[in-house]
Amino acid sequence: MSDQIKFIVDSLNKEPFRKNYNLITFDSLEPMQLLQVLNDVLAEIDPKQLVDIREEMPEQTAKRMLNLLGILKYKPSGNATDMSTFRQGLVIGSKPVIYPVLHWLLQRPNELKKRAYLARFLIKLEVPTEFLQDETVADTNKQYEELMETFKTLHKEYEQLKTSGFSTAEIRKDISAMEEEKDQLIKRVEHLKKRVETVQNHQWMLKIARQLRVEKEREEYLAQQKQEQKNQLMKRLEEEIKFNLYMVTEKFPKEIENKKKELHFLQKVVSEPAMGHSDLLELESKINEINTEVNQLIEKKVMRNEPIEGKLSLYRQQRQNLTLSPRLKCCGVIMAHYSPKLDSSDPPTSAS
């Protein structure tokens, strides 16, 4: 126990605590003071624990400390009965309970700081199952879990970078070397200035040198602009070639095929016998006569209440034969083919 107390006192007298204890003064602390020392050590590990324990109830203090010690994975020795004693010892500030905790904490402060930090992001909040039935709560919980996994990945990469060989000392060394190199360059520039000042017309020569530098920069800029314009021109030519290739291999062959079909149709129409105006008048007269007979027959049948479909079919067939005669049909197809109401892309109908 004496070695344990000595280690605790030595650790508390160092940074960041600077308590200035000795074995006697530390062992003479009142229970409330000892609890405050424990709380100060816990606050160094987790800043959220930085409170004055005189401002909270003893049960609340014990509960807060137990929660953090559980996160830090501190395991008191003993069985379940001893655990009850441990909790009670935290409430009353018992030395046999607090001394081992202080000794354990002060042995590994950096490790415990990291553990407490990670616990803020990696201890999962358990949402009751009945709440997860709500769609909004379920989506939020899913996003929370995804963010937790992202944090694990990023922290792992951060730890790898810390151990990748780049140290603060090396960076400072590089900065110091670059500063020395900068000083050497400044000295060289000053030395060259002094040498130049001894040369006749050095101001005019410096002016010419500056102009030369400006012209070189302008030349580089123009070369870059020229290359960009060349790239744009090549890109435009490639697009034109693709378009022309499409016209030659796809569009024009289809149009030629359609024109061939149209020409074939017109040739068939031209090969039909010509129909004069008198022929059309004669056919129209016959159609009108049959229509008149059909209408008269319908009127008679209606007056007699007799079915009219039987004999009407004969007249209808005669009218259809007249309408669909080859010569008349040919004229109708030509008119339909060149009618502006039809789409020119429709396939032509047979004239036969």
Side-chain angles (χ1 to χ4, degrees), residues 226-247:
K226 180 180 180 181
Q227 185 62 37
E228 291 179 358
Q229 292 178 358
K230 182 178 178 181
N231 294 339
Q232 293 178 358
L233 177 61
M234 293 298 296
K235 184 178 180 181
R236 186 162 58 250
L237 290 175
E238 289 177 357
E239 293 176 353
E240 291 181 1
I241 291 172
K242 289 181 181 179
F243 175 75
N244 293 334
L245 186 62
Y246 161 76
M247 296 294 290

PDB file of all heavy atoms in Angstrom, residues 226-247:
ATOM      1  N   LYS A 226      -2.411  28.237 -77.617  1.00  0.00           N
ATOM      2  CA  LYS A 226      -2.373  27.585 -78.925  1.00  0.00           C
ATOM      3  C   LYS A 226      -2.694  26.101 -78.793  1.00  0.00           C
ATOM      4  O   LYS A 226      -3.446  25.543 -79.603  1.00  0.00           O
ATOM      5  CB  LYS A 226      -0.996  27.790 -79.548  1.00  0.00           C
ATOM      6  CG  LYS A 226      -0.845  27.155 -80.914  1.00  0.00           C
ATOM      7  CD  LYS A 226       0.553  27.405 -81.482  1.00  0.00           C
ATOM      8  CE  LYS A 226       0.704  26.753 -82.860  1.00  0.00           C
ATOM      9  NZ  LYS A 226       2.065  26.966 -83.409  1.00  0.00           N
ATOM     10  N   GLN A 227      -2.125  25.453 -77.776  1.00  0.00           N
ATOM     11  CA  GLN A 227      -2.389  24.034 -77.574  1.00  0.00           C
ATOM     12  C   GLN A 227      -3.849  23.787 -77.238  1.00  0.00           C
ATOM     13  O   GLN A 227      -4.465  22.819 -77.723  1.00  0.00           O
ATOM     14  CB  GLN A 227      -1.490  23.494 -76.455  1.00  0.00           C
ATOM     15  CG  GLN A 227      -1.593  21.999 -76.232  1.00  0.00           C
ATOM     16  CD  GLN A 227      -1.161  21.199 -77.441  1.00  0.00           C
ATOM     17  OE1 GLN A 227      -0.220  21.580 -78.135  1.00  0.00           O
ATOM     18  NE2 GLN A 227      -1.858  20.102 -77.713  1.00  0.00           N
ATOM     19  N   GLU A 228      -4.448  24.650 -76.411  1.00  0.00           N
ATOM     20  CA  GLU A 228      -5.864  24.501 -76.065  1.00  0.00           C
ATOM     21  C   GLU A 228      -6.752  24.660 -77.302  1.00  0.00           C
ATOM     22  O   GLU A 228      -7.712  23.902 -77.484  1.00  0.00           O
ATOM     23  CB  GLU A 228      -6.240  25.528 -74.997  1.00  0.00           C
ATOM     24  CG  GLU A 228      -5.601  25.265 -73.638  1.00  0.00           C
ATOM     25  CD  GLU A 228      -5.978  26.316 -72.618  1.00  0.00           C
ATOM     26  OE1 GLU A 228      -6.706  27.263 -73.002  1.00  0.00           O
ATOM     27  OE2 GLU A 228      -5.575  26.186 -71.450  1.00  0.00           O
ATOM     28  N   GLN A 229      -6.454  25.652 -78.149  1.00  0.00           N
ATOM     29  CA  GLN A 229      -7.236  25.837 -79.371  1.00  0.00           C
ATOM     30  C   GLN A 229      -7.080  24.649 -80.314  1.00  0.00           C
ATOM     31  O   GLN A 229      -8.047  24.214 -80.958  1.00  0.00           O
ATOM     32  CB  GLN A 229      -6.798  27.119 -80.073  1.00  0.00           C
ATOM     33  CG  GLN A 229      -7.151  28.394 -79.308  1.00  0.00           C
ATOM     34  CD  GLN A 229      -6.658  29.630 -80.002  1.00  0.00           C
ATOM     35  OE1 GLN A 229      -6.016  29.566 -81.043  1.00  0.00           O
ATOM     36  NE2 GLN A 229      -6.957  30.789 -79.404  1.00  0.00           N
ATOM     37  N   LYS A 230      -5.872  24.099 -80.378  1.00  0.00           N
ATOM     38  CA  LYS A 230      -5.647  22.924 -81.210  1.00  0.00           C
ATOM     39  C   LYS A 230      -6.468  21.749 -80.717  1.00  0.00           C
ATOM     40  O   LYS A 230      -7.084  21.013 -81.513  1.00  0.00           O
ATOM     41  CB  LYS A 230      -4.161  22.573 -81.206  1.00  0.00           C
ATOM     42  CG  LYS A 230      -3.801  21.388 -82.083  1.00  0.00           C
ATOM     43  CD  LYS A 230      -2.308  21.122 -82.059  1.00  0.00           C
ATOM     44  CE  LYS A 230      -1.957  19.909 -82.904  1.00  0.00           C
ATOM     45  NZ  LYS A 230      -0.500  19.615 -82.868  1.00  0.00           N
ATOM     46  N   ASN A 231      -6.511  21.570 -79.398  1.00  0.00           N
ATOM     47  CA  ASN A 231      -7.301  20.475 -78.827  1.00  0.00           C
ATOM     48  C   ASN A 231      -8.784  20.662 -79.124  1.00  0.00           C
ATOM     49  O   ASN A 231      -9.492  19.698 -79.451  1.00  0.00           O
ATOM     50  CB  ASN A 231      -7.063  20.394 -77.324  1.00  0.00           C
ATOM     51  CG  ASN A 231      -5.633  19.989 -76.986  1.00  0.00           C
ATOM     52  OD1 ASN A 231      -4.939  19.403 -77.806  1.00  0.00           O
ATOM     53  ND2 ASN A 231      -5.197  20.319 -75.781  1.00  0.00           N
ATOM     54  N   GLN A 232      -9.267  21.903 -79.009  1.00  0.00           N
ATOM     55  CA  GLN A 232     -10.673  22.170 -79.307  1.00  0.00           C
ATOM     56  C   GLN A 232     -10.989  21.900 -80.779  1.00  0.00           C
ATOM     57  O   GLN A 232     -12.049  21.356 -81.113  1.00  0.00           O
ATOM     58  CB  GLN A 232     -11.007  23.615 -78.938  1.00  0.00           C
ATOM     59  CG  GLN A 232     -10.956  23.896 -77.442  1.00  0.00           C
ATOM     60  CD  GLN A 232     -11.235  25.345 -77.119  1.00  0.00           C
ATOM     61  OE1 GLN A 232     -11.443  26.163 -78.017  1.00  0.00           O
ATOM     62  NE2 GLN A 232     -11.250  25.677 -75.837  1.00  0.00           N
ATOM     63  N   LEU A 233     -10.080  22.302 -81.673  1.00  0.00           N
ATOM     64  CA  LEU A 233     -10.295  22.068 -83.102  1.00  0.00           C
ATOM     65  C   LEU A 233     -10.352  20.574 -83.402  1.00  0.00           C
ATOM     66  O   LEU A 233     -11.217  20.110 -84.185  1.00  0.00           O
ATOM     67  CB  LEU A 233      -9.164  22.740 -83.897  1.00  0.00           C
ATOM     68  CG  LEU A 233      -9.202  22.534 -85.416  1.00  0.00           C
ATOM     69  CD1 LEU A 233     -10.482  23.113 -85.990  1.00  0.00           C
ATOM     70  CD2 LEU A 233      -7.982  23.129 -86.072  1.00  0.00           C
ATOM     71  N   MET A 234      -9.437  19.812 -82.802  1.00  0.00           N
ATOM     72  CA  MET A 234      -9.431  18.368 -83.024  1.00  0.00           C
ATOM     73  C   MET A 234     -10.727  17.741 -82.513  1.00  0.00           C
ATOM     74  O   MET A 234     -11.296  16.842 -83.149  1.00  0.00           O
ATOM     75  CB  MET A 234      -8.222  17.752 -82.313  1.00  0.00           C
ATOM     76  CG  MET A 234      -6.876  18.153 -82.900  1.00  0.00           C
ATOM     77  SD  MET A 234      -6.695  17.613 -84.616  1.00  0.00           S
ATOM     78  CE  MET A 234      -6.733  15.837 -84.402  1.00  0.00           C
ATOM     79  N   LYS A 235     -11.183  18.227 -81.391  1.00  0.00           N
ATOM     80  CA  LYS A 235     -12.430  17.692 -80.845  1.00  0.00           C
ATOM     81  C   LYS A 235     -13.607  17.985 -81.774  1.00  0.00           C
ATOM     82  O   LYS A 235     -14.456  17.123 -82.024  1.00  0.00           O
ATOM     83  CB  LYS A 235     -12.690  18.289 -79.466  1.00  0.00           C
ATOM     84  CG  LYS A 235     -13.907  17.735 -78.768  1.00  0.00           C
ATOM     85  CD  LYS A 235     -14.059  18.336 -77.382  1.00  0.00           C
ATOM     86  CE  LYS A 235     -15.290  17.775 -76.686  1.00  0.00           C
ATOM     87  NZ  LYS A 235     -15.463  18.372 -75.326  1.00  0.00           N
ATOM     88  N   ARG A 236     -13.656  19.218 -82.320  1.00  0.00           N
ATOM     89  CA  ARG A 236     -14.742  19.576 -83.238  1.00  0.00           C
ATOM     90  C   ARG A 236     -14.676  18.749 -84.515  1.00  0.00           C
ATOM     91  O   ARG A 236     -15.705  18.300 -85.040  1.00  0.00           O
ATOM     92  CB  ARG A 236     -14.676  21.067 -83.553  1.00  0.00           C
ATOM     93  CG  ARG A 236     -15.834  21.571 -84.379  1.00  0.00           C
ATOM     94  CD  ARG A 236     -15.978  23.068 -84.301  1.00  0.00           C
ATOM     95  NE  ARG A 236     -14.783  23.746 -84.743  1.00  0.00           N
ATOM     96  CZ  ARG A 236     -13.957  24.421 -83.957  1.00  0.00           C
ATOM     97  NH1 ARG A 236     -14.208  24.480 -82.650  1.00  0.00           N
ATOM     98  NH2 ARG A 236     -12.886  25.030 -84.429  1.00  0.00           N
ATOM     99  N   LEU A 237     -13.463  18.512 -85.034  1.00  0.00           N
ATOM    100  CA  LEU A 237     -13.315  17.694 -86.239  1.00  0.00           C
ATOM    101  C   LEU A 237     -13.762  16.251 -85.988  1.00  0.00           C
ATOM    102  O   LEU A 237     -14.389  15.621 -86.850  1.00  0.00           O
ATOM    103  CB  LEU A 237     -11.859  17.722 -86.708  1.00  0.00           C
ATOM    104  CG  LEU A 237     -11.364  19.047 -87.298  1.00  0.00           C
ATOM    105  CD1 LEU A 237      -9.878  18.979 -87.597  1.00  0.00           C
ATOM    106  CD2 LEU A 237     -12.153  19.408 -88.551  1.00  0.00           C
ATOM    107  N   GLU A 238     -13.437  15.726 -84.832  1.00  0.00           N
ATOM    108  CA  GLU A 238     -13.872  14.372 -84.499  1.00  0.00           C
ATOM    109  C   GLU A 238     -15.389  14.276 -84.473  1.00  0.00           C
ATOM    110  O   GLU A 238     -15.986  13.301 -84.951  1.00  0.00           O
ATOM    111  CB  GLU A 238     -13.290  13.967 -83.152  1.00  0.00           C
ATOM    112  CG  GLU A 238     -11.782  13.712 -83.183  1.00  0.00           C
ATOM    113  CD  GLU A 238     -11.236  13.385 -81.810  1.00  0.00           C
ATOM    114  OE1 GLU A 238     -12.033  13.411 -80.844  1.00  0.00           O
ATOM    115  OE2 GLU A 238     -10.033  13.112 -81.693  1.00  0.00           O
ATOM    116  N   GLU A 239     -16.052  15.293 -83.916  1.00  0.00           N
ATOM    117  CA  GLU A 239     -17.513  15.298 -83.882  1.00  0.00           C
ATOM    118  C   GLU A 239     -18.100  15.366 -85.295  1.00  0.00           C
ATOM    119  O   GLU A 239     -19.090  14.695 -85.595  1.00  0.00           O
ATOM    120  CB  GLU A 239     -17.998  16.470 -83.038  1.00  0.00           C
ATOM    121  CG  GLU A 239     -17.661  16.342 -81.555  1.00  0.00           C
ATOM    122  CD  GLU A 239     -18.077  17.564 -80.767  1.00  0.00           C
ATOM    123  OE1 GLU A 239     -18.505  18.557 -81.409  1.00  0.00           O
ATOM    124  OE2 GLU A 239     -17.988  17.525 -79.522  1.00  0.00           O
ATOM    125  N   GLU A 240     -17.506  16.186 -86.159  1.00  0.00           N
ATOM    126  CA  GLU A 240     -17.990  16.284 -87.539  1.00  0.00           C
ATOM    127  C   GLU A 240     -17.811  14.958 -88.280  1.00  0.00           C
ATOM    128  O   GLU A 240     -18.684  14.542 -89.055  1.00  0.00           O
ATOM    129  CB  GLU A 240     -17.255  17.404 -88.261  1.00  0.00           C
ATOM    130  CG  GLU A 240     -17.604  18.796 -87.772  1.00  0.00           C
ATOM    131  CD  GLU A 240     -16.873  19.872 -88.535  1.00  0.00           C
ATOM    132  OE1 GLU A 240     -16.105  19.525 -89.457  1.00  0.00           O
ATOM    133  OE2 GLU A 240     -17.081  21.072 -88.220  1.00  0.00           O
ATOM    134  N   ILE A 241     -16.687  14.299 -88.043  1.00  0.00           N
ATOM    135  CA  ILE A 241     -16.447  13.010 -88.704  1.00  0.00           C
ATOM    136  C   ILE A 241     -17.479  11.983 -88.254  1.00  0.00           C
ATOM    137  O   ILE A 241     -18.021  11.216 -89.071  1.00  0.00           O
ATOM    138  CB  ILE A 241     -15.013  12.515 -88.400  1.00  0.00           C
ATOM    139  CG1 ILE A 241     -13.990  13.412 -89.117  1.00  0.00           C
ATOM    140  CG2 ILE A 241     -14.839  11.065 -88.826  1.00  0.00           C
ATOM    141  CD1 ILE A 241     -12.563  13.123 -88.737  1.00  0.00           C
ATOM    142  N   LYS A 242     -17.777  11.969 -86.957  1.00  0.00           N
ATOM    143  CA  LYS A 242     -18.793  11.033 -86.452  1.00  0.00           C
ATOM    144  C   LYS A 242     -20.150  11.315 -87.077  1.00  0.00           C
ATOM    145  O   LYS A 242     -20.890  10.399 -87.464  1.00  0.00           O
ATOM    146  CB  LYS A 242     -18.876  11.139 -84.933  1.00  0.00           C
ATOM    147  CG  LYS A 242     -17.677  10.579 -84.198  1.00  0.00           C
ATOM    148  CD  LYS A 242     -17.861  10.704 -82.697  1.00  0.00           C
ATOM    149  CE  LYS A 242     -16.656  10.157 -81.946  1.00  0.00           C
ATOM    150  NZ  LYS A 242     -16.806  10.301 -80.480  1.00  0.00           N
ATOM    151  N   PHE A 243     -20.505  12.621 -87.222  1.00  0.00           N
ATOM    152  CA  PHE A 243     -21.789  12.990 -87.813  1.00  0.00           C
ATOM    153  C   PHE A 243     -21.856  12.567 -89.278  1.00  0.00           C
ATOM    154  O   PHE A 243     -22.855  11.977 -89.721  1.00  0.00           O
ATOM    155  CB  PHE A 243     -22.000  14.491 -87.685  1.00  0.00           C
ATOM    156  CG  PHE A 243     -23.242  14.986 -88.360  1.00  0.00           C
ATOM    157  CD1 PHE A 243     -24.495  14.773 -87.797  1.00  0.00           C
ATOM    158  CD2 PHE A 243     -23.165  15.638 -89.583  1.00  0.00           C
ATOM    159  CE1 PHE A 243     -25.646  15.215 -88.439  1.00  0.00           C
ATOM    160  CE2 PHE A 243     -24.305  16.079 -90.216  1.00  0.00           C
ATOM    161  CZ  PHE A 243     -25.548  15.867 -89.644  1.00  0.00           C
ATOM    162  N   ASN A 244     -20.800  12.858 -90.033  1.00  0.00           N
ATOM    163  CA  ASN A 244     -20.785  12.478 -91.454  1.00  0.00           C
ATOM    164  C   ASN A 244     -20.827  10.963 -91.626  1.00  0.00           C
ATOM    165  O   ASN A 244     -21.469  10.452 -92.554  1.00  0.00           O
ATOM    166  CB  ASN A 244     -19.540  13.047 -92.124  1.00  0.00           C
ATOM    167  CG  ASN A 244     -19.573  14.565 -92.206  1.00  0.00           C
ATOM    168  OD1 ASN A 244     -20.652  15.163 -92.224  1.00  0.00           O
ATOM    169  ND2 ASN A 244     -18.411  15.195 -92.232  1.00  0.00           N
ATOM    170  N   LEU A 245     -20.153  10.254 -90.754  1.00  0.00           N
ATOM    171  CA  LEU A 245     -20.176   8.798 -90.826  1.00  0.00           C
ATOM    172  C   LEU A 245     -21.584   8.260 -90.576  1.00  0.00           C
ATOM    173  O   LEU A 245     -22.039   7.325 -91.255  1.00  0.00           O
ATOM    174  CB  LEU A 245     -19.204   8.219 -89.796  1.00  0.00           C
ATOM    175  CG  LEU A 245     -19.003   6.704 -89.824  1.00  0.00           C
ATOM    176  CD1 LEU A 245     -18.406   6.277 -91.161  1.00  0.00           C
ATOM    177  CD2 LEU A 245     -18.105   6.260 -88.677  1.00  0.00           C
ATOM    178  N   TYR A 246     -22.301   8.886 -89.658  1.00  0.00           N
ATOM    179  CA  TYR A 246     -23.689   8.489 -89.408  1.00  0.00           C
ATOM    180  C   TYR A 246     -24.558   8.760 -90.629  1.00  0.00           C
ATOM    181  O   TYR A 246     -25.393   7.921 -91.021  1.00  0.00           O
ATOM    182  CB  TYR A 246     -24.225   9.244 -88.197  1.00  0.00           C
ATOM    183  CG  TYR A 246     -25.728   9.267 -88.115  1.00  0.00           C
ATOM    184  CD1 TYR A 246     -26.437   8.140 -87.699  1.00  0.00           C
ATOM    185  CD2 TYR A 246     -26.438  10.414 -88.457  1.00  0.00           C
ATOM    186  CE1 TYR A 246     -27.828   8.157 -87.642  1.00  0.00           C
ATOM    187  CE2 TYR A 246     -27.813  10.448 -88.400  1.00  0.00           C
ATOM    188  CZ  TYR A 246     -28.505   9.311 -87.999  1.00  0.00           C
ATOM    189  OH  TYR A 246     -29.877   9.326 -87.941  1.00  0.00           O
ATOM    190  N   MET A 247     -24.378   9.925 -91.269  1.00  0.00           N
ATOM    191  CA  MET A 247     -25.185  10.261 -92.431  1.00  0.00           C
ATOM    192  C   MET A 247     -24.938   9.278 -93.578  1.00  0.00           C
ATOM    193  O   MET A 247     -25.872   8.857 -94.260  1.00  0.00           O
ATOM    194  CB  MET A 247     -24.857  11.696 -92.885  1.00  0.00           C
ATOM    195  CG  MET A 247     -25.206  12.765 -91.866  1.00  0.00           C
ATOM    196  SD  MET A 247     -26.978  12.923 -91.572  1.00  0.00           S
ATOM    197  CE  MET A 247     -27.493  13.638 -93.122  1.00  0.00           C
TER     198      MET A 247
END
